[in-house]
Structure formats: C-alpha cells, structure tokens
Amino acid sequence: MSKNRVYAYARVSTRQQNEARQLLAWREMKINPKNVYIDKQSGKDFDRTEYQELMKVLQPNDVLVIKSIDRLGRNYREVLEQWRALTKERCVDVVVLDMPLLDTRQQKNLLGAFISDVVLQILSFVAQNERENIIQRQREGIAAAKARGVKFGRPMRELPRQFHLYVALWHAKRITGVAAAKACQLPLSTFRNRAKKYLSEKNSNNVNTSSNKKSNRV
C-alpha cells in the first residue's frame, strides 16, 4: 500500500456516536491523519461534506480504506453505484477491512472482480435491509408505547398556581403577553401557546355545559 496514496473514510450516524473503532484501524495501518475523512451524519445518501471533499482529492491508483461496507453507506443501490464509480471510473482501489474479499488490489482478474461484485451486492443489501428493519422496529415500538398511553417528547412545564389569572388579564388586554409571561416565569412563546390551549379548553367546556343545561330544560 505504500506505493500509492492511501486515504481512509469513516462515518458515524450521529454526533453522539463514537468513531474511535474506525480511527484505531487507521492508526494501526499508519495512515496519515491528514488523509482521514470523517462524516457524522446518516448514510442514507452520499451528500456528505467530508465524503465530497474526499472525492475531490482521489486520483487513479489511490487506495481508499473503510472499516465496513455500511460505513460507506446504507442505501443499497447508491453504495453499488458509488463502488463502481470509485473502482471503474476513478480507478481507485477500495479496501473493506471487515471483509477481505472486498479488496480490489487483490482482484484484478475477471473472476476476482465477479466475486467482489457479488459479495458487495449481498453485503449492501443486508446493510440496507437491517436499516429498514431497525426503522420498522422503532415505528412499531413507538406505536405500541403510544397505545399504552406513553407520551413522547419533553414533559410539559408545570404552570404557576395563578396562571389562569394572568391568562384572563392578558386575554382582556389588561396586561401584555411579555408581562404575563414574566409573571408566570415562562418564555413568551410558551406562555402564549399554553394560554391559547387553556382558553380553547375553557371555551369547549363552556359550550358543553351550556348544551347540557338546555338538554335538561327540555
């Protein structure tokens, strides 16, 4: 590998995930840190800042090393297209450390290329299928939790005891929204949203009470 320029590409799906495992592999291979490109975003497509920068510097006979095929991407068709663009159009060798069969330096004959393509298609399909399964399991889990009454999102801030009084004053235009929010120790947007919800529920209750009284008189 020393005869050609060697680059490495690492990707993690979120900023909270750690790319240390991938970086350790690059250090063990003594790849120049300046030649390591890291993206911290989803692998659903190749519209990634660092990957696009990498594409600008890759030249024929360079070597691109990735830890596993899913670090390159998770979209089955796009991974295949990108692999062919790298190996056939740019004439770059690609090495996947977790899958020795995917090392184009060792497979320059027709049979080797065929085996590489087949393995790549299988792995790319498995990576995308697993991603879709994870998304489906997440959706099913959320739906099941909602059915049990579990509420998602940030819990609602507790309102002050005299919240309704400040809402009434604000609604009657006796005080400004800024003053009412300050008295309730709430952000202005939060006060307005909660106030509108309170007034809507109050009006709905008044309508229902009025309807019940009419029904009783009849």
Side-chain angles (χ1 to χ4, degrees):
M1 293 175 68
S2 58
K3 295 181 180 179
N4 305 314
R5 297 189 306 173
V6 182
Y7 294 88
Y9 178 71
R11 182 188 65 79
V12 288
S13 296
T14 67
R15 294 190 179 278
Q16 287 71 39
Q17 291 181 334
N18 196 330
E19 69 276 13
R21 189 173 70 94
Q22 298 175 74
L23 294 179
L24 179 60
W26 313 150
R27 282 197 293 271
E28 290 176 350
M29 297 179 69
K30 298 181 180 180
I31 296 177
N32 189 332
K34 293 181 179 179
N35 290 352
V36 175
Y37 291 75
I38 304 171
D39 275 313
K40 294 191 175 184
Q41 65 185 89
S42 168
K44 65 180 181 179
D45 56 42
F46 285 87
D47 186 18
R48 311 173 209 145
T49 303
E50 288 298 299
Y51 187 81
Q52 293 303 323
E53 289 299 314
L54 173 61
M55 292 302 101
K56 293 177 183 178
V57 300
L58 283 175
Q59 300 293 327
N61 298 319
D62 285 345
V63 179
L64 174 60
V65 184
I66 57 176
K67 187 73 173 66
S68 58
I69 195 65
D70 64 341
R71 296 305 88 198
L72 184 61
R74 288 189 177 275
N75 183 296
Y76 170 56
R77 291 182 179 83
E78 290 196 5
V79 166
L80 293 178
E81 289 174 5
Q82 202 64 210
W83 182 278
R84 293 191 177 100
L86 287 166
T87 60
K88 293 180 173 57
E89 294 174 17
R90 292 176 176 267
C91 298
V92 171
D93 277 315
V94 182
V95 180
V96 181
L97 296 182
D98 286 354
M99 181 56 63
L101 284 174
L102 292 178
D103 182 346
T104 60
R105 299 170 304 169
Q106 312 299 328
Q107 300 163 2
K108 299 300 183 181
N109 58 42
L110 185 61
L111 178 60
F114 174 75
I115 293 173
S116 179
D117 283 348
V118 170
V119 172
L120 175 64
Q121 290 192 42
I122 293 172
L123 291 178
S124 299
F125 175 79
V126 170
Q128 181 175 334
N129 193 54
E130 177 59 21
R131 177 172 178 270
E132 291 173 353
N133 287 339
I134 290 172
I135 293 173
Q136 182 61 30
R137 288 195 294 269
Q138 288 175 339
R139 288 174 179 166
E140 291 172 353
I142 291 172
K146 286 182 176 180
R148 295 195 305 270
V150 176
K151 294 183 178 180
F152 292 88
R154 190 179 299 173
M156 275 197 163
R157 191 169 180 173
E158 187 175 347
L159 297 174
R161 189 161 49 87
Q162 294 185 333
F163 173 75
H164 64 283
L165 173 61
Y166 291 109
V167 171
L169 292 172
W170 169 73
H171 188 59
K173 298 184 179 179
R174 300 283 298 278
I175 60 174
T176 64
V178 174
K182 186 176 180 180
C184 294
Q185 296 184 331
L186 293 170
L188 179 58
S189 60
T190 301
F191 171 79
R192 284 176 172 167
N193 290 335
R194 299 293 292 273
K196 289 176 181 177
K197 182 179 179 182
Y198 169 80
L199 291 170
S200 176
E201 291 175 350
K202 183 180 178 183
N203 290 336
S204 178
N205 290 336
N206 288 339
V207 170
N208 290 336
T209 302
S210 177
S211 298
N212 290 336
K213 285 182 179 180
K214 288 181 180 179
S215 298
N216 290 335
R217 284 199 297 268
V218 173

